[in-house]
Amino acid sequence: MKSITKTVTTIYTPEWIKKEFLVYGPEFRKARERLRKKYNRCFACNTPFQDGDVVALGGFGKHGNKVLCQTCASDLADG
């Protein structure tokens, strides 16, 4: 039997961005350790956060809030 392959592309457009949301560190990791979404990587480029990184937060409407690195947050805010 043959199969069908479909690829879906979703476009995420931020409604707002807060560039200096929080500083990533042990307290944030501990607060998120038991939750399903760890928020330990940038949503846009998938780069892992290091201790001391300033994390940005973007609101993407029905897709919810997503954490972003400073580079991606700046790119999205300027575009």
Side-chain angles (χ1 to χ4, degrees):
M1 186 173 289
K2 293 184 178 183
S3 61
I4 299 170
T5 302
K6 290 186 179 185
T7 303
V8 177
T9 302
T10 304
I11 298 173
Y12 295 88
T13 305
E15 294 178 353
W16 53 267
I17 295 176
K18 183 175 181 183
K19 287 189 179 181
E20 295 181 5
F21 177 60
L22 59 85
V23 177
Y24 187 80
E27 299 86 20
F28 183 76
R29 278 196 309 277
K30 181 154 180 63
R32 302 292 309 181
E33 70 185 357
R34 291 189 178 188
L35 301 176
R36 189 175 77 177
K37 292 186 181 180
K38 304 295 184 209
Y39 292 116
N40 58 352
R41 296 178 169 272
C42 174
F43 176 71
C45 67
N46 209 31
T47 302
F49 295 122
Q50 303 296 324
D51 286 353
D53 286 351
V54 177
V55 177
L57 185 71
F60 292 89
K62 68 179 182 180
H63 301 288
N65 296 343
K66 309 292 182 190
V67 291
L68 303 164
C69 66
Q70 289 299 307
T71 304
C72 292
S74 295
D75 288 348
L76 286 170
D78 295 340

